[in-house]
Amino acid sequence: MNRKALWITQTAVLLALLIAVQAVTSGFGSTLLTGSLVNFILIVSVVTVGLPSGLTIALLSPFFAFMFGIGPKFWQIILCVAIGNAVLVILWHLLRNSSKNQFTAFTVSAIVAAAAKFLVLYGLVVKLVVPIVLGIPEPNASVVSAAFSFPQLFTALIGGALAVVILPLLTKALPQEN
């Protein structure tokens, strides 16, 4: 199989997995479960298939979430989530080889990328979009903002922790694109 066809196939499989996870878990009403698994899939895509795959899935994920009734109902916030996902994926791509010890590199990637995604979402959604762009009044602003503060950090950290444990097995089993 040529490289382009392999990339398309692997990206499509991971995107299908992401959509399936969102569809199945949307009925549970658990942002913690859905968000953690989505972050895990984003990380798997960038580490096993490459940055273009990770970015493709990261940018499409919030739009599929919206279709399943997960997450924000405002397009401005959906764009912020796409940006936060992209930050997570880019940092994993840049940091995943930051140490000769894979466990250390993956752990650093998980912590730094989760913190950066949290800070980006907090800054964009909580400090800019909700109060200024959308002008949502209190107490509704607090409810919307709460979903884009610490829960985002926790789901990114859990997704990263899953990746730290599972990725070493996947990277041995699958061909990688850098």
Side-chain angles (χ1 to χ4, degrees), residues 63-141:
F63 295 97
F64 286 110
F66 174 77
M67 290 174 27
F68 291 115
I70 305 169
K73 307 296 183 225
F74 303 99
W75 67 267
Q76 297 92 333
I77 296 177
I78 293 169
L79 293 177
C80 293
V81 173
I83 293 167
N85 287 348
V87 166
L88 179 91
V89 165
I90 290 167
L91 286 172
W92 260 90
H93 176 73
L94 294 173
L95 297 172
R96 69 178 190 202
N97 296 318
S98 61
S99 171
K100 290 183 181 185
N101 180 299
Q102 187 182 56
F103 178 79
T104 301
F106 283 0
T107 302
V108 167
S109 298
I111 293 167
V112 171
K117 179 179 180 176
F118 160 72
L119 290 172
V120 165
L121 285 173
Y122 185 82
L124 288 176
V125 176
V126 176
K127 295 298 184 185
L128 177 66
V129 172
V130 169
I132 298 170
V133 175
L134 296 175
I136 298 174
E138 289 296 339
N140 294 340

Side-chain angles (χ1 to χ4, degrees), residues 43-44 46-49 96-97 102 106 163 166-176:
I43 296 163
V44 167
V46 72
V47 173
T48 62
V49 186
R96 69 178 190 202
N97 296 318
Q102 187 182 56
F106 283 0
I166 297 171
L167 272 173
L169 302 172
L170 286 176
T171 56
K172 288 179 184 174
L174 297 173
Q176 294 182 41

